[in-house]
Amino acid sequence: MEVLQWGVRALIVVAVLVGRRRYRYPGGWGPAFSRAYAPERRELARARRRLTARAVQAWLQRTAVQLRLSSARAAHRRRVTAAEQALREARNPGSGPVVGHLGTLVLRRHTLSIGEDEELTLAGLTVRIHHGPKSHHLIVTEADGHVHHIPLSQSEHKEDAVRTELRDMARQQQLAPERAAALAGLKAARQKWKDATGRLPAR
């Protein structure tokens, strides 16, 4: 009984392999198994491998940049949280030592200095960060409604630079000569197979 079960399993495996080969090399038993079509089968297989290798390479490149984007985003969130916490703590009574720096800003216990020429009291001051497509700005609004726009340095918006790099890389990969050549090679091999067998193989 056990021998019979193994025999059935072997037949199923063989049937699956035969079916897959006929699907990969359509046109009948001859094109799929005959030595006469061996050169065409090899050429079609090489074209498929080249396209697969290019797709894997592109995926690895995108994954590496996406990991960098995630890291930059997390670092940016930590910097923003630290800056906001420092501003909240500065509103509490106490002495006026320097609490922290953010670009050209110097935060003290009761004041916020913008560069060397301007110092704002923290009473009634509101601060928010504007996330732009290529840069970030700190928007500081005084109690009387006067607004200051302070650009953050490149290091403060590294996330946007990485995001732009990821988008540009994806666009370049779509237009990459290697990918275009691989696609053209596979297209030619599939057409040659169709000319020889009358059936167009799957990509």
Side-chain angles (χ1 to χ4, degrees):
M1 188 66 174
E2 187 175 347
V3 174
L4 180 60
Q5 289 177 344
W6 278 105
V8 170
R9 290 173 185 169
L11 286 175
I12 291 173
V13 170
V14 170
V16 169
L17 293 176
V18 169
R20 183 176 185 277
R21 187 170 179 103
R22 291 197 61 182
Y23 173 77
R24 297 279 288 171
Y25 305 103
W29 289 95
F33 295 98
S34 172
R35 290 185 179 179
Y37 290 92
E40 288 82 0
R41 285 197 300 271
R42 284 194 297 269
E43 183 177 355
L44 186 57
R46 279 195 300 268
R48 285 168 171 159
R49 284 196 300 270
R50 281 194 296 268
L51 185 61
T52 299
R54 178 58 190 164
V56 170
Q57 181 185 16
W59 178 83
L60 289 174
Q61 289 175 339
R62 288 195 303 271
T63 300
V65 176
Q66 285 168 346
L67 289 174
R68 290 173 53 202
L69 173 61
S70 298
S71 175
R73 184 183 294 133
H76 174 72
R77 280 198 300 267
R78 288 193 298 270
R79 288 194 300 271
V80 170
T81 300
E84 292 173 344
Q85 180 65 24
L87 284 173
R88 285 194 296 271
E89 292 174 356
R91 290 192 172 96
N92 295 330
S95 61
V98 173
V99 177
H101 298 266
L102 180 64
T104 59
L105 301 178
V106 179
L107 178 64
R108 293 180 172 83
R109 182 67 65 182
H110 295 292
T111 62
L112 178 67
S113 298
I114 304 175
E116 298 179 358
D117 303 325
E118 201 159 15
E119 189 171 40
L120 310 176
T121 179
L122 294 182
L125 203 69
T126 60
V127 179
R128 65 187 179 88
I129 293 181
H130 171 71
H131 299 271
K134 295 183 178 178
S135 64
H136 296 331
H137 284 75
L138 200 65
I139 301 175
V140 180
T141 306
E142 296 183 59
D144 62 359
H146 187 69
V147 179
H148 303 264
H149 294 266
I150 301 105
L152 299 179
S153 67
Q154 179 68 23
S155 63
E156 298 302 323
H157 54 84
K158 183 179 178 183
E159 173 191 346
D160 286 288
V162 178
R163 189 188 303 276
T164 301
E165 183 182 346
L166 177 62
R167 185 174 58 248
D168 291 344
M169 179 176 290
R171 187 182 302 115
Q172 289 170 5
Q173 287 176 354
Q174 290 297 322
L175 304 175
E178 296 89 350
R179 184 175 188 275
L183 284 171
L186 178 58
K187 182 178 179 181
R190 292 173 71 222
Q191 185 60 46
K192 189 171 182 180
W193 182 271
K194 182 180 178 182
D195 294 341
T197 67
R199 297 286 299 277
L200 185 66
R203 210 176 125 172

